[in-house]
Amino acid sequence: MKQFKVVAAIIAHENKVLCLQRGKNKYDYIANKYEFPGGKIESGETVEEALKREILEELQLDITIQKPFLIVNHNYPDFSITLHSYLCTTNTTNFTLTEHVDFKWLNKEELAQLDWAAADIPIVKSLMQTND
């Protein structure tokens, strides 16, 4: 089974968190699910470099990385991932969707109403329990 090391940005702006919806995918179990933006860490990249690069590619958005949040190991049917999530902020809500089909800015209390990709669910649950 293929193993990927990936990053995800939990992007906050004015007490709301950015949630992105994937489009169609060859893997039905992640198609149309919500996720935190990010992607694979390339050879020679630090986690932080990968995170900034992925957010620029996916959203054309500059972020400030605040701190690591949660590492999730998840096995999907066709591959497994180690997902490094980071709390991040941005000064704007202006961005361009280049890979996703929809987005929502939600309060932490509202996150559970979305249909999340399985690897992101532990992050959602932890976020909803934090006080910061």
Side-chain angles (χ1 to χ4, degrees):
M1 181 180 295
K2 285 190 177 181
Q3 164 72 33
F4 298 104
K5 188 174 174 185
V6 297
V7 291
I10 304 160
I11 302 172
H13 180 74
E14 296 180 358
N15 294 320
K16 293 197 181 274
V17 177
L18 181 60
C19 312
L20 298 180
Q21 187 179 25
R22 298 177 72 100
K24 292 185 177 178
N25 192 287
K26 67 179 179 178
Y27 302 120
D28 287 345
Y29 48 84
I30 57 175
N32 303 309
K33 301 282 188 179
Y34 278 86
E35 66 180 0
F36 298 105
K40 294 178 189 141
I41 301 169
E42 294 179 358
S43 179
E45 272 185 324
T46 67
V47 175
E48 291 85 0
E49 289 169 342
L51 192 59
K52 287 201 169 238
R53 176 187 51 77
E54 285 287 347
I55 300 311
L56 273 175
E57 287 175 6
E58 290 184 14
L59 300 172
Q60 298 172 3
L61 179 68
D62 284 317
I63 59 169
T64 301
I65 299 171
Q66 301 293 329
K67 62 183 178 181
F69 185 65
L70 186 68
I71 297 173
V72 176
N73 291 297
H74 186 79
N75 295 319
Y76 284 108
D78 300 282
F79 60 93
S80 63
I81 64 171
T82 298
L83 174 60
H84 298 261
S85 66
Y86 282 76
L87 295 174
C88 304
T89 57
T90 185
N91 294 326
T92 181
T93 57
N94 295 325
F95 58 86
T96 302
L97 292 178
T98 62
E99 297 181 16
H100 295 84
V101 297
D102 197 16
F103 72 93
K104 295 184 185 308
W105 287 99
L106 298 178
N107 294 315
K108 287 191 300 185
E109 302 77 34
E110 300 172 303
L111 294 175
Q113 70 191 23
L114 300 179
D115 185 14
W116 289 92
D120 290 71
I121 292 173
I123 298 168
V124 170
K125 288 180 177 176
S126 291
L127 270 177
M128 292 178 72
Q129 294 172 354
T130 61
N131 294 322
D132 54 353

